[in-house]
Amino acid sequence: MDFLRNYLDKIKPHFEAGGRFSMFQSLFEGIETFLFVPNKTAQSGVHIHKSIDSKWTMSIVLVALLPCLLFGMFNTGYQHYLSIQESPGFLMTFIYGFLAVLPIIVVSYVVGLGIELAVAQWKGHEIQEGFLVTGLLIPLIVPIDTPLWMIALATAFAVIFAKEVFGGTGYNIWNVALVTRAFLFFAYPSKMSGDHVFVRTEGIWGIGKGAVADAFSGATPLGQIGQASTSISITDTLGNPVNYWDLFWGFIPGSVGETSKFCILLGAILLLITGIANWRTILSVFAGGILTILLFNAIGSTPAMQINPLEQILLGGFAFGAVFMATDPVTSPRTQTGKYIFGGAVGVFAMMVRVLNPGYPEGMMLSILFMNSFTPLIDYYVVEAHIKRRQRRSKNILFSPVHSAFGSN
Amino acid sequence: MKDIKETFSSPINKNNPITVQMLGICSALAVTSKLEPSIVMGIALTAVVAFSNVILSLLRNTIPNRIRIIVQLVIVAALVTIVNEILKAYAYDVSKQLSVFVGLIITNCIVMGRLEAFALGNKPWPAFVDGVGNGLGYAIILVIVGFFRELLGSGSLFGFQIIPNKIYEWGYENNGLMILPPMAMIIIACIIWIQKSKQS
């Protein structure tokens, strides 16, 4: 690695103020600190150093997302070849999916990082690493057939209006990736839901050309539930029934990264072991969702109400949202009690939207964004309640209230 | 004379009722999904503010202070009713689109604000100029917002298609979010952003 260090040192002066490339200073700094641990230390005051900084946090989330991404690529190819009724082997299936998903990833990163760089340069601060995760989340939560210019536009909108205007990484109120999806969802509803967007049926650069089978229907399982009028039997795109294992492994149409619950589980384990995601949030999302579904099962007046809890949490983006979106440290509450409240409400609202509103087959996005808005409020009241409880306790043992509320007890 | 000019131009830019005083936001979000109703709404409000300013300014020395609000309301309500009837008679389609928001000019903060802040203490001519200035300041913002929302949300202006079919064939689609009020909020925010960064 010495030659890289030497090279960076050699070109560094060009990027500093007054140098030839000073307009790219933030880019250089971003790359340098990404490759090497910065050698700058704080000059004054007392600082606690933790080995895991935000670049490391982001990198671990990226690793946790990898299984979902890889399986998402494979599943894109799998669904495609299922629709044209060919089976070209594992490798070709994966290559097709890779070629389909890659442009979305490139567009999302180029647009998002471009805006981040421009803002960093304009404001004169370091490039913020927040987009590393967002840029990979965006391709995982959109349908595969979303046009690239829409993704570019939505990413730009989300980065500017959901993040930069609030002050950049760490200050946003809403999850940026979900704002991207929400923008797409409301601006271009025909490209974000329905039967024609979740499975790519055309070939890419001559790979995977073929006539689409007559029996093909691109409706996702949740879409089928939304449209069902009598009893529901969930089928794959060719009309064959699917079982729980198909849902668990993820061989169903859906947004790129959300289908495989197994890969989400792998990611969840990594995030929980490293302590980046909080188990309280994930647990309470599932608890809230399952309790709501049990309630709907007890009512059972529409077909959508009769789906059992296990099936509901295996469908759609519920698990993906619970593990990767609801646990976002910036937009979810900081207090432990707050995490339970937040997660529980996310689960409840997600299932309510899903079951009660046939216009929106999936409610996870809306419910997380909705609860994101309440995050500061939840935190505020949890802290207030805490202070009140301590004040009461201190009164009982006859200390002065002010002293012990902020004192050592 | 200079004062009159200032009275007229200040609310159009640096003291704009929408972008600086944050008044009348509600109707600015509600009626601007198309350009035509935005313009009509702007004219309607300009007329109401200007003439209610004049009438109140003429009456200003005869109104007891304690009942001035009710007098203002009567004046505004009379003018709004007249505007509403004129719209129904001569521009029925637009008045249908504007629906309740013409009637709600009564509650528009700009109208009451100008009456209280300006017309009660000034002569009729400056009051008229102030009313026209504030009305135009409101109308300009509505027209800008309406322009972008109709162009990007429906691909048309005044109901005529502007974006050629060729572009739709290439895969372009109208932005459905532009039709919804949240986007009007964001466009107004952008106007404020630009205005503030120009001023500072």
Side-chain angles (χ1 to χ4, degrees):
Chain A
M1 295 303 271
D2 272 354
F3 77 96
L4 199 58
R5 180 73 260 177
N6 292 336
Y7 178 70
L8 283 176
D9 284 340
K10 204 180 91 187
I11 62 169
K12 194 169 185 173
H14 293 309
F15 289 95
E16 273 155 12
R20 238 185 310 168
F21 304 114
S22 61
M23 66 169 82
F24 298 114
Q25 191 196 4
S26 53
L27 177 65
F28 176 80
E29 204 162 54
I31 292 173
E32 191 193 11
T33 51
F34 188 75
L35 293 171
F36 293 100
V37 176
N39 59 359
K40 281 180 274 184
T41 50
Q43 297 297 313
S44 66
V46 181
H47 298 267
I48 299 174
H49 286 272
K50 208 176 171 192
S51 61
I52 180 158
D53 63 359
S54 60
K55 276 203 177 69
W56 262 107
T57 314
M58 302 286 174
S59 307
I60 291 173
V61 180
L62 285 186
V63 173
L65 281 169
L66 268 186
C68 290
L69 176 68
L70 293 176
F71 183 83
M73 287 174 170
F74 173 76
N75 191 42
T76 303
Y78 174 79
Q79 296 296 337
H80 167 74
Y81 283 111
L82 196 66
S83 76
I84 61 171
Q85 287 188 307
E86 281 177 30
S87 45
F90 175 81
L91 193 64
M92 278 309 289
T93 310
F94 184 80
I95 288 175
Y96 178 90
F98 178 77
L99 290 176
V101 176
L102 191 66
I104 304 180
I105 301 177
V106 171
V107 165
S108 129
Y109 269 116
V110 167
V111 172
L113 286 180
I115 293 171
E116 290 258 325
L117 270 176
V119 171
Q121 195 66 38
W122 174 38
K123 298 258 176 193
H125 58 59
E126 287 175 34
I127 181 170
Q128 293 164 325
E129 44 280 274
F131 196 76
L132 279 180
V133 170
T134 309
L136 192 58
L137 280 174
I138 291 169
L140 293 181
I141 58 174
V142 296
I144 186 67
D145 259 355
T146 316
L148 294 178
W149 68 268
M150 285 182 190
I151 291 176
L153 185 71
T155 308
F157 175 87
V159 172
I160 294 171
F161 287 103
K163 191 157 115 185
E164 295 303 343
V165 294
F166 288 101
T169 303
Y171 297 97
N172 47 319
I173 298 175
W174 298 286
N175 185 309
V176 181
L178 281 178
V179 173
T180 310
R181 195 184 199 281
F183 180 87
L184 288 168
F185 186 80
F186 287 108
Y188 307 108
S190 67
K191 296 287 177 193
M192 288 303 286
S193 51
D195 301 350
H196 303 293
V197 293
F198 288 101
V199 179
R200 180 166 292 187
T201 49
E202 288 144 18
I204 304 170
W205 299 340
I207 298 175
K209 260 189 202 158
V212 176
D214 290 338
F216 173 78
S217 146
T220 62
L222 279 176
Q224 295 166 23
I225 293 173
Q227 286 158 8
S229 51
T230 52
S231 69
I232 300 166
S233 58
I234 296 169
T235 61
D236 68 2
T237 52
L238 293 180
N240 308 313
V242 292
N243 59 28
Y244 287 123
W245 285 114
D246 291 332
L247 299 178
F248 178 72
W249 294 113
F251 296 105
I252 49 172
S255 297
V256 175
E258 70 175 20
T259 57
S260 173
K261 306 304 163 306
F262 172 70
C263 295
I264 294 169
L265 190 65
L266 288 183
I269 290 170
L270 179 65
L271 289 181
L272 289 176
I273 288 175
T274 53
I276 288 167
N278 195 301
W279 60 269
R280 292 176 181 84
T281 315
I282 300 178
L283 183 80
S284 50
V285 172
F286 279 102
I290 289 169
L291 288 177
T292 315
I293 288 304
L294 287 175
L295 183 69
F296 282 130
N297 282 351
I299 302 170
S301 56
T302 65
M305 286 187 185
Q306 291 155 11
I307 311 283
N308 67 49
L310 179 63
E311 209 163 353
Q312 281 282 18
I313 61 172
L314 285 175
L315 289 173
F318 188 78
F320 191 86
V323 171
F324 293 109
M325 304 292 197
T327 57
D328 178 354
V330 176
T331 56
S332 65
R334 309 288 158 92
T335 51
Q336 311 289 27
T337 319
K339 285 182 203 293
Y340 288 120
I341 300 170
F342 173 87
V346 165
V348 169
F349 286 127
M351 288 309 180
M352 276 172 63
V353 174
R354 226 185 230 193
V355 172
L356 297 179
N357 187 346
Y360 296 156
E362 174 60 298
M364 202 55 185
M365 168 186 81
L366 296 169
S367 114
I368 295 177
L369 285 175
F370 183 67
M371 286 316 293
N372 280 167
S373 324
F374 287 98
T375 294
L377 191 73
I378 294 172
D379 269 345
Y380 175 79
Y381 278 111
V382 168
V383 172
E384 285 288 300
H386 196 66
I387 291 173
K388 278 219 183 88
R389 200 171 55 241
R390 289 192 156 205
Q391 254 169 355
R392 233 187 353 257
R393 193 162 66 197
S394 69
K395 264 181 202 151
N396 289 345
I397 50 176
L398 293 172
F399 274 127
S400 88
V402 175
H403 174 258
S404 55
F406 302 104
S408 57
N409 76 337
Chain B
M1 199 59 213
K2 203 173 171 211
D3 278 355
I4 289 286
K5 241 181 198 167
E6 180 65 23
T7 312
F8 179 74
S9 65
S10 145
I12 290 180
N13 184 16
K14 72 167 192 259
N15 205 8
N16 190 290
I18 294 186
T19 61
V20 178
Q21 300 177 26
M22 302 291 159
L23 301 175
I25 298 274
C26 169
S27 55
L29 303 189
V31 302
T32 50
S33 68
K34 293 268 174 2
L35 189 51
E36 196 182 357
S38 316
I39 292 176
V40 173
M41 184 70 185
I43 295 172
L45 188 109
T46 310
V48 172
V49 184
F51 289 112
S52 61
N53 261 6
V54 172
I55 296 171
L56 192 80
S57 177
L58 288 169
L59 296 175
R60 70 184 188 280
N61 295 326
T62 57
I63 304 171
N65 199 31
R66 290 160 73 185
I67 59 158
R68 67 182 198 283
I69 297 282
I70 202 85
V71 175
Q72 289 165 12
L73 273 179
V74 170
I75 295 169
V76 177
L79 283 167
V80 166
T81 311
I82 293 170
V83 166
N84 204 4
E85 294 301 317
I86 290 176
L87 280 182
K88 270 187 188 153
Y90 294 102
Y92 187 67
D93 289 341
V94 178
S95 91
K96 269 272 189 211
Q97 285 179 46
L98 289 172
S99 67
V100 71
F101 286 96
V102 175
L104 283 180
I105 292 178
I106 298 173
T107 60
N108 196 311
C109 316
I110 299 171
V111 182
M112 289 300 271
R114 288 337 287 172
L115 291 178
E116 277 283 298
F118 200 90
L120 270 179
N122 284 283
K123 289 194 172 127
W125 173 240
F128 179 75
V129 173
D130 178 78
V132 173
N134 275 286
L136 286 183
Y138 173 84
I140 284 174
I141 304 297
L142 253 67
V143 168
I144 297 174
V145 176
F147 173 82
F148 284 110
R149 283 183 74 188
E150 185 169 4
L151 183 66
L152 299 175
S154 313
S156 59
L157 288 176
F158 294 112
F160 296 109
Q161 191 180 338
I162 295 289
I163 295 173
N165 280 328
K166 197 84 193 157
I167 294 180
Y168 287 107
E169 281 165 26
W170 289 336
Y172 177 79
E173 281 199 28
N174 289 329
N175 191 323
L177 200 55
M178 281 286 172
I179 306 289
L180 305 172
M183 212 57 187
M185 196 79 166
I186 287 171
I187 295 175
I188 290 178
C190 289
I191 298 173
I192 294 173
W193 190 357
I194 294 167
Q195 196 187 10
K196 290 249 160 90
S197 59
K198 266 192 163 175
Q199 276 171 4
S200 60

